[in-house]
Amino acid sequence: MSETATITVGGKTVELPVITGTENEKAIDIAKLRALTGCITFDDGYGNTGSCLSNITFIDGETGILRYRGIDIAEVAEKSDFIETAMLVINGKFPTSAERRAFSSLIVENELLHENMRVQFQGFPPTAHPMAVLTAMINAMSCFHPHLMEIHDDAQFHEAAAKLLSKVRTIAAFSYKHSIGEPLIYPTASRGYTENFLHMMFKAPNNDYVPDPDVVRALDLLFILHADHEQNCSTSTVRMVGSSQANLFTSVSAGVSALWGKLHGGANQAVLEMLEGIHKRGDSIESVIAKCKDKNSDFRLMGFGHRVYKNFDPRAKIIKAACDKVLSKLGKEDPLLDIAKQLEAAALNDSYFVDRKLYPNVDFYSGIIMRAIGIPTNMFTVLFAIGRMPGWIANWKETRDNANARIYRPRQIYMGAAKRSYEEAKREVIQ
Ligand code: ACO
């Protein structure tokens, strides 16, 4: 007999099915609740709401577990590169060597932008935030690839996914070059995915930029660690938009917009800006911690806390080790890293943070790595978007493939004015 939950409301008792996930997480299936009781549920911020059944990523925030398709993130990060990880996340299984070669070729084939798309960069002011450019240009891909709009066609999906993974790097690097007034650097087919991105970012006609292999690996690692993170704000956005049967490009573009906010992907930029501010003003660690705790201040320790992880963020552990390695390889002493380490130590020993289960998240160290590599601060979230591309694509596909899919359409509880006349409302303004 399968488990049920009993709810009594308005004098009526109903039994609802309980769904059990692979890792024994339980969820009360409320699909029939409104029909049976007239009630809906209220969950501001969705902290208790499972919005979908998913096979992609498992997170246990209490114990700090993150798995892509069942495999622990530490193992994926150690043994795979970003493209293999992307294929695992999107397709649900590792590729064969032949599949990998074919997909890599498709990535190479698609690395250029249509020339008309390239000239669009001129239309943006050089001061434009690269996240604004990224979201606009990814959406513009819908205009340049109109043959990929048939969302239920698997061959089209495969091509659109490769285009997105490949071109997102080119768009990102072109937006950076445009912002600093340097000529755009085209990708070269012989370079690997991440090396090619660094090449487009830092090569100029007057330099012989060759990325250090350790730097390439650190950035590849960063992409792997960001590849998916189940139903976060941007991924839920992609699914929400995709549920209306919008095409992959425009759905992912909406995800990029959602990622931009500083409570989500914008946090890595906010961490760096916070550390720079502390350094510039010479603030003591004690005063920063005190400000976080001050109820009259809305200051938060950026890069700390997570809606899901209440123990530690497994990605932060891996990134912290990579951060130390890159800095020592590049011979960079970074005062911001020292501040970050002191802040981390102070917070982890402070009851305010301990009681609220606030630990460093992935953004705390990723910004320092990117800074050491030479990535400008306003590009940090763009790099997060490159890394998150497999997760957005996989989640869009999962929504598309759901045989019971309906358009996402939450309800609300109306708390506004009760019915009143037009004249009454006008009188309120005049008084
Ligand atoms: N610094 C200081 N206090 C904090 C922090 C922080 N970084 N994060 C949470 N708190 C406090 C809150 O003030 C609140 O305290 P209270 O109970 O006394 O009111 C309590 O901890 C719970 O905070 P919520 O905002 O309810 O936690 P929520 O789960 O909604 O937020 C979030 C999670 C947005 C990540 C939050 O911790 C935060 O703002 N962190 C800083 C921004 C950041 O690093 N974001 C990156 C997230 S990871 C990612 O997107 C890849």
Side-chain angles (χ1 to χ4, degrees):
M1 170 96 177
S2 42
E3 197 176 346
T4 56
T6 307
I7 293 180
T8 303
V9 57
K12 198 169 175 192
T13 299
V14 295
E15 280 203 21
L16 298 172
V18 171
I19 301 171
T20 306
T22 310
E23 298 293 337
N24 220 25
E25 329 92 291
K26 305 261 183 196
I28 302 168
D29 177 352
I30 58 152
K32 297 215 162 58
L33 183 67
R34 185 164 175 273
L36 294 172
T37 67
C39 284
I40 59 171
T41 55
F42 173 60
D43 185 17
D44 205 357
Y46 307 131
N48 295 285
T49 296
S51 62
C52 58
L53 300 178
S54 180
N55 297 333
I56 304 168
T57 290
F58 172 69
I59 299 176
D60 181 341
E62 305 304 322
T63 52
I65 292 173
L66 167 60
R67 295 185 199 132
Y68 295 159
R69 301 287 187 178
I71 306 160
D72 192 77
I73 184 64
E75 217 175 339
V76 178
E78 188 193 330
K79 298 178 182 163
S80 284
D81 65 8
F82 178 60
I83 290 301
E84 189 177 53
T85 305
M87 294 183 79
L88 170 70
V89 169
I90 295 170
N91 303 327
K93 56 185 175 63
F94 281 122
T96 61
S97 321
E99 285 166 347
R100 169 65 205 253
R101 275 196 306 278
F103 195 64
S104 293
S105 302
L106 203 53
I107 298 263
V108 170
E109 257 171 53
N110 282 292
E111 62 194 10
L112 287 176
L113 303 184
H114 189 289
E115 277 298 280
N116 289 355
M117 200 162 165
R118 185 184 59 78
V119 295
Q120 294 209 16
F121 284 89
Q122 311 301 329
F124 293 108
T127 50
H129 195 289
M131 282 299 276
V133 177
L134 188 67
T135 190
M137 294 305 257
I138 289 180
N139 204 15
M141 285 174 71
S142 315
C143 316
F144 288 91
H145 309 291
H147 66 294
L148 298 177
M149 297 295 116
E150 180 41 66
I151 75 153
H152 290 291
D153 182 307
D154 275 341
Q156 288 194 21
F157 167 76
H158 191 65
E159 191 183 335
K163 279 195 179 349
L164 265 174
L165 275 167
S166 189
K167 292 183 195 300
V168 66
R169 290 169 306 174
T170 317
I171 295 171
F174 280 14
S175 73
Y176 171 60
K177 287 297 195 189
H178 175 62
S179 75
I180 57 171
E182 279 189 6
L184 308 183
I185 300 293
Y186 286 97
T188 35
S190 58
R191 293 172 205 275
Y193 185 89
T194 301
E195 186 192 350
N196 216 346
F197 171 64
L198 285 165
H199 166 77
M200 288 188 276
M201 284 287 292
F202 298 121
K203 174 86 182 85
N206 63 344
N207 75 30
D208 297 319
Y209 176 77
V210 180
D212 181 305
D214 281 342
V215 166
V216 175
R217 176 61 191 148
L219 192 54
D220 205 65
L221 185 68
L222 215 77
F223 291 154
I224 294 170
L225 296 179
H226 284 88
D228 192 41
H229 211 239
E230 56 120 294
Q231 299 314 310
N232 53 79
C233 178
S234 57
T235 303
S236 303
T237 302
V238 171
R239 286 186 91 117
M240 168 79 80
V241 178
S243 79
S244 75
Q245 303 204 345
N247 72 71
L248 180 61
F249 303 128
T250 202
S251 304
V252 165
S253 157
V256 175
S257 299
L259 185 73
W260 192 0
K262 73 173 177 167
L263 294 188
H264 189 14
N268 50 21
Q269 176 171 343
V271 169
L272 235 279
E273 284 164 359
M274 175 189 77
L275 294 174
E276 278 166 352
I278 294 170
H279 182 54
K280 210 154 120 197
R281 291 187 302 272
D283 294 345
S284 68
I285 299 297
E286 296 72 37
S287 70
V288 176
I289 297 288
K291 202 154 98 183
C292 291
K293 301 198 277 189
D294 181 356
K295 285 282 162 210
N296 297 318
S297 156
D298 58 4
F299 177 79
R300 285 189 168 195
L301 197 52
M302 287 293 134
F304 257 71
H306 199 278
R307 173 60 62 82
V308 177
Y309 294 120
K310 299 299 175 195
N311 183 329
F312 65 91
D313 179 339
R315 302 165 302 172
K317 263 190 168 179
I318 301 168
I319 260 188
K320 186 176 175 184
C323 186
D324 289 340
K325 193 170 166 197
V326 165
L327 289 184
S328 73
K329 175 75 195 282
L330 297 178
K332 288 205 174 167
E333 301 261 318
D334 190 341
L336 299 195
L337 181 63
D338 292 337
I339 295 173
K341 284 184 167 166
Q342 288 175 50
L343 276 175
E344 183 190 22
L348 293 179
N349 284 307
D350 190 293
S351 60
Y352 173 91
F353 290 88
V354 175
D355 294 349
R356 288 169 179 75
K357 302 189 172 167
L358 301 169
Y359 297 87
N361 59 46
V362 66
D363 294 314
F364 197 65
Y365 285 100
S366 61
I368 294 171
I369 294 193
M370 289 192 268
R371 178 177 145 100
I373 295 174
I375 307 286
T377 314
N378 68 354
M379 285 290 290
F380 286 5
T381 315
V382 172
L383 269 68
F384 187 159
I386 297 175
R388 183 52 54 84
M389 204 49 76
W392 289 331
I393 294 169
N395 275 275
W396 182 91
K397 182 172 188 290
E398 204 171 62
T399 306
R400 185 202 73 168
D401 292 346
N402 179 2
N404 303 317
R406 301 171 75 198
I407 189 166
Y408 279 27
R409 203 312 186 177
R411 289 185 177 265
Q412 63 163 18
I413 296 146
Y414 177 67
M415 305 293 272
K419 185 172 187 313
R420 57 193 173 142
S421 71
Y422 183 88
E423 286 71 26
E424 251 180 291
K426 276 273 172 160
R427 270 199 301 277
E428 251 175 37
V429 179
I430 293 159
Q431 276 157 18

